[in-house]
Amino acid sequence: MIENRFKNIYNIDVLIVGAGINGAGLFRELALQDVNCLLIDKSDFMSGASAAPSRMIHGGLRYLENREVRLVQESLSERNLLLQNAPHYVFPLPTVIPIYHWFSGIINGIRKFFGMKATNTPRGAIIVKLGLLMYDIFTRNQRVVPTHQFSSRKKSLEDRPLLDPNIVCTALFYDAWISFPERLGIELIQDGLDLNNGSIALNYVSLNRVENGQVILKDELSGRETKIKPKVVVNATGAWIDFANLSLGKKTKFIGGTKGSHLMVDNQALMNATMGQMVYYENDEGRICILFPLHGKVMIGSTDIKVTNPDEVVCTDEEVEYMLSCVRQVFPKLDINPSQVIFKYSGVRPLPNSEGDLKNAQISRDHSTKVIEPTEGGLPFPILNLIGGKWTTFRAFGEQTSDKILTYLGLSSKVKSTNFAIGGGKNFPKTEVEKINWIGKIQKKSGLEAERINTLLNRYGTNAEKVIDYIRLGGDCLLKSSPNYSKREIEYLLKNEFVNHLDDLILRRTVIALSGELTSELFIELADIYSDFFQLNLDVKSKEIERTKAILTQKHGVNLNV
Ligand SMILES: Cc1cc2nc3c(=O)[nH]c(=O)nc-3n(C[C@H](O)[C@H](O)[C@H](O)COP(=O)(O)OP(=O)(O)OC[C@H]3O[C@@H](n4cnc5c(N)ncnc54)[C@H](O)[C@@H]3O)c2cc1C
């Protein structure tokens, strides 16, 4: 008989629909305030836009042009908090900007700043300098990364001989990047569950419809349905917000999503040309493009295309060609071709609907909450819609939304999440010496090699200790097709990290597919461990294999010979 996953959900106060970073962040925030929550996602946790970002944890230099000073200040402050609270996954990111003009873009910059129509003149050194100065000023009281600097054309080309020789200079500034966004989201959910044992998180459960003031949820794994009556509903479904409201009987037009795609490219010359830094450049249409080293390959992004159905987005061949042509503009001597794309991914930015003639890049990346009050919705609960936002600002958005929910519940805030480390970021060693000591301590207790402990520390932060404790409880072996992982390590993820489908493991609990490590042999080995662990029969196992293969081919351009 298929398990009833709805057993304990009837005492919850708040239903959060959508477990991307905004739903997951709010879940932990409310758990901290002792509010019982049910977090659901129709698919896997962190499988929407939150699995598809450019992986920048950033202030958003570009947003200054649109006068979004408050957003940039908040983002920089959240960036610094994430460097502190998730030191296992968030790191400083040196970023170089190739600049082609000295004075260009000043008039245009002023027009954009005042919300007027603007053309696409390139951003010159003066305007870039102004932006970087503001960046440095905003963080002067919390200086955790170095301030910006400029380099002459001569020095820039000496350092990076493959860079377009038409530059006049380069600027270097610091932001941050995140190595495992999907994993950090899972850790937030686990933190929420640890903090409040009345809270529950279920992936593959969808908000289906509403009947007589009760919300009907559907378990997408078993087909089972149930009714609940929460006091507050949060619609955190990102690009799906209007669809979810429709399921609640409410027609809205809050979202005007844009698709963004990224490529992972295996090209050693390009990797060398990055010099371990992000290259943040303007293409000949005036769009900002990025590339930087990620998990041994180079990540290239992105596109910005209006879409209506978030379920259907994939990275097309035209987008691949467009992104590669952008890279050729900044590194004209480099030979990059589509066969070097080893993985691609797309997501939909849940941007606020904008009817005007703003370009996609000009639409605000700020967050807001739109409330449908019970009187308006004809329902016995308010619906709080979480519109927009960035990965970077999830904590601030969660805190602001939590305060609103507490007011509805007649409660007040008990604890601030500002200095709460996340998951494996707790007690993370801060210096090389602390790291060596940590590894030594674990080595003494486990007998594992220091190098392996180091790998696990980089992969799971201090949660590596839990993984190692589990590894020690049974006979373990390194995977034959990828000795970088072990059998019991994979089993730990299956047991503790809400894995249901095989693709949850391959695409979101690990970076095995994204990093290009996924060979046909490794795929089969992982499928065997997965099906043995869950004791699946051959029929179910082969369905899982086919499902995962189809997702890998259609969504990520990965074709396995299995
Ligand atoms: C291409 C791209 C690049 C980006 N780059 C950056 C960046 O570098 N830095 C940065 O800070 N931000 C970046 N962002 C923005 C950031 O990723 C998003 O703003 C953020 O992830 C949105 O999170 P969310 O939780 O609102 O939505 P999502 O992550 O999309 O989550 C919504 C969830 O709702 C679920 N859902 C939908 N309908 C239902 C239903 N009926 N029932 C149950 N569940 C449902 C979906 O399955 C999904 O998991 C980028 C976004 C994109 C797309």
Side-chain angles (χ1 to χ4, degrees):
M1 205 174 94
I2 301 173
E3 183 203 358
N4 176 6
R5 298 196 294 149
F6 291 140
K7 273 185 304 232
N8 302 315
I9 67 169
Y10 301 100
N11 284 330
I12 57 108
D13 291 322
V14 179
L15 169 66
I16 304 176
V17 186
I21 189 55
N22 287 327
L26 177 63
F27 181 70
R28 184 184 79 145
E29 199 67 41
L30 287 171
L32 265 176
Q33 314 305 335
D34 260 350
V35 174
N36 291 351
C37 273
L38 171 62
L39 174 70
I40 57 165
D41 199 291
K42 74 180 172 98
S43 182
D44 190 17
F45 297 142
M46 305 296 292
S47 59
S50 302
S54 302
R55 287 174 157 73
M56 288 152 68
I57 297 297
H58 62 150
L61 186 58
R62 187 168 71 69
Y63 311 144
L64 285 172
E65 279 182 340
N66 303 341
R67 228 174 10 168
E68 298 198 84
V69 174
R70 190 209 65 79
L71 171 64
V72 175
Q73 281 177 319
E74 181 181 70
S75 306
L76 283 171
S77 158
E78 291 300 316
R79 176 198 76 182
N80 288 354
L81 286 177
L82 274 168
L83 282 162
Q84 171 195 292
N85 293 333
H88 55 320
Y89 292 155
V90 180
F91 310 97
L93 177 63
T95 301
V96 67
I97 313 179
I99 301 172
Y100 291 83
H101 303 268
W102 291 108
F103 302 104
S104 170
I106 298 176
I107 305 278
N108 221 20
I110 295 171
R111 290 186 70 86
K112 278 188 192 160
F113 193 78
F114 288 107
M116 295 154 76
K117 258 194 165 174
T119 50
N120 277 331
T121 44
R123 297 156 179 95
I126 303 291
I127 204 86
V128 173
K129 177 83 189 170
L130 261 174
L132 293 177
L133 270 175
M134 283 170 88
Y135 233 55
D136 289 343
I137 291 170
F138 292 157
T139 47
R140 67 191 179 284
N141 297 328
Q142 269 184 303
R143 175 86 47 236
V144 296
V145 293
T147 54
H148 79 274
Q149 62 194 60
F150 273 71
S151 291
S152 67
R153 172 177 186 274
K154 184 166 174 284
K155 168 94 175 60
S156 306
L157 291 176
E158 269 166 23
D159 290 347
R160 298 170 197 269
L162 294 178
L163 205 56
D164 184 352
N166 291 315
I167 55 162
V168 296
C169 62
T170 57
L172 180 72
F173 75 107
Y174 283 77
D175 246 318
W177 69 286
I178 178 163
S179 53
F180 294 95
E182 303 86 347
R183 292 200 51 78
L184 194 66
I186 294 286
E187 291 187 3
L188 281 166
I189 296 172
Q190 277 169 329
D191 280 358
L193 294 171
D194 290 346
L195 285 162
N196 180 343
N197 54 24
S199 286
I200 296 171
L202 297 171
N203 51 2
Y204 297 102
V205 167
S206 60
L207 163 79
N208 194 269
R209 60 189 190 281
V210 69
E211 271 176 19
N212 304 325
Q214 306 212 64
V215 181
I216 314 291
L217 306 179
K218 181 173 178 201
D219 184 338
E220 298 292 339
L221 300 175
S222 65
R224 193 187 297 263
E225 289 192 348
T226 199
K227 293 178 188 174
I228 56 166
K229 210 171 174 180
K231 293 182 183 149
V232 176
V233 171
V234 180
N235 184 350
T237 58
W240 290 266
I241 278 182
D242 295 321
F243 297 90
N245 280 336
L246 210 53
S247 311
L248 291 166
K250 192 76 198 156
K251 207 168 173 196
T252 54
K253 213 169 172 223
F254 293 150
I255 297 293
T258 70
K259 169 173 76 159
S261 299
H262 289 86
L263 311 176
M264 294 291 285
V265 170
D266 190 4
N267 179 310
Q268 196 51 48
L270 179 62
M271 175 64 107
N272 296 344
T274 66
M275 292 176 59
Q277 301 178 336
M278 176 158 91
V279 183
Y280 182 94
Y281 65 100
E282 199 176 355
N283 71 1
D284 57 14
E285 296 169 324
R287 284 199 58 241
I288 300 292
C289 304
I290 54 149
L291 55 96
F292 71 97
L294 179 71
H295 299 298
K297 304 291 182 297
V298 180
M299 190 195 72
I300 296 177
S302 65
T303 51
D304 202 351
I305 302 166
K306 277 240 186 279
V307 288
T308 46
N309 187 347
D311 282 313
E312 284 175 0
V313 298
V314 289
C315 175
T316 62
D317 291 346
E318 291 75 44
E319 286 178 275
V320 172
E321 191 36 57
Y322 170 80
M323 285 186 270
L324 294 184
S325 73
C326 293
V327 178
R328 289 185 203 109
Q329 287 168 28
V330 71
F331 291 119
K333 291 180 217 142
L334 263 179
D335 186 21
I336 311 174
N337 63 68
S339 69
Q340 293 169 331
V341 175
I342 52 115
F343 188 86
K344 47 190 189 171
Y345 63 87
S346 296
V348 182
R349 302 175 182 89
L351 303 181
N353 185 30
S354 71
E355 301 289 353
D357 52 3
L358 286 182
K359 292 201 175 98
N360 292 348
Q362 280 178 287
I363 301 170
S364 173
R365 266 53 175 172
D366 207 347
H367 49 258
S368 61
T369 311
K370 283 209 159 51
V371 185
I372 303 174
E373 297 290 351
T375 42
E376 260 178 283
L379 296 167
F381 45 76
I383 308 166
L384 276 71
N385 294 277
L386 306 193
I387 316 284
K390 300 180 343 140
W391 227 107
T392 311
T393 48
F394 77 84
R395 194 210 60 84
F397 196 11
E399 186 176 79
Q400 291 150 18
T401 312
S402 162
D403 286 347
K404 290 196 174 87
I405 293 172
L406 292 176
T407 310
Y408 276 106
L409 299 176
L411 303 169
S412 51
S413 173
K414 292 183 178 163
V415 194
K416 280 259 170 212
S417 56
T418 330
N419 294 313
F420 252 77
I422 303 168
K426 291 173 200 130
N427 304 317
F428 191 77
K430 289 193 181 67
T431 61
E432 266 314 294
V433 174
E434 280 184 24
K435 193 171 172 185
I436 292 166
N437 289 342
W438 193 90
I439 291 173
K441 182 189 89 181
I442 302 293
Q443 193 175 21
K444 231 183 204 166
K445 124 171 155 178
S446 67
L448 278 191
E449 282 178 17
E451 202 184 316
R452 173 100 179 106
I453 299 173
N454 189 33
T455 302
L456 296 174
L457 179 64
N458 291 335
R459 212 171 266 160
Y460 306 110
T462 48
N463 279 348
E465 187 168 1
K466 294 185 194 157
V467 180
I468 292 166
D469 287 345
Y470 181 81
I471 286 176
R472 286 168 62 221
L473 287 178
D476 195 21
C477 58
L478 299 179
L479 299 193
K480 286 193 209 76
S481 43
S482 180
N484 206 6
Y485 292 86
S486 81
K487 180 164 182 271
R488 280 191 69 84
E489 175 188 350
I490 298 295
E491 286 176 355
Y492 175 89
L493 302 179
L494 298 175
K495 184 171 170 14
N496 296 291
E497 297 200 346
F498 322 101
V499 173
N500 281 295
H501 288 295
L502 179 57
D503 51 283
D504 303 343
L505 172 73
I506 291 177
L507 285 164
R508 287 170 293 277
R509 302 309 177 275
T510 67
V511 289
I512 285 173
L514 177 98
S515 62
E517 286 167 278
L518 189 65
T519 57
S520 300
E521 293 73 27
L522 179 54
F523 180 80
I524 292 294
E525 204 174 352
L526 291 170
D528 286 345
I529 297 172
Y530 165 83
S531 84
D532 288 350
F533 184 82
F534 291 119
Q535 301 182 338
L536 305 181
N537 63 35
L538 273 182
D539 184 38
V540 178
K541 179 180 175 184
S542 66
K543 278 191 185 131
E544 281 296 328
I545 288 179
E546 289 313 313
R547 173 194 153 97
T548 308
K549 269 172 56 185
I551 293 172
L552 285 166
T553 308
Q554 288 156 20
K555 299 233 164 194
H556 304 291
V558 176
N559 295 305
L560 295 172
N561 195 8
V562 176

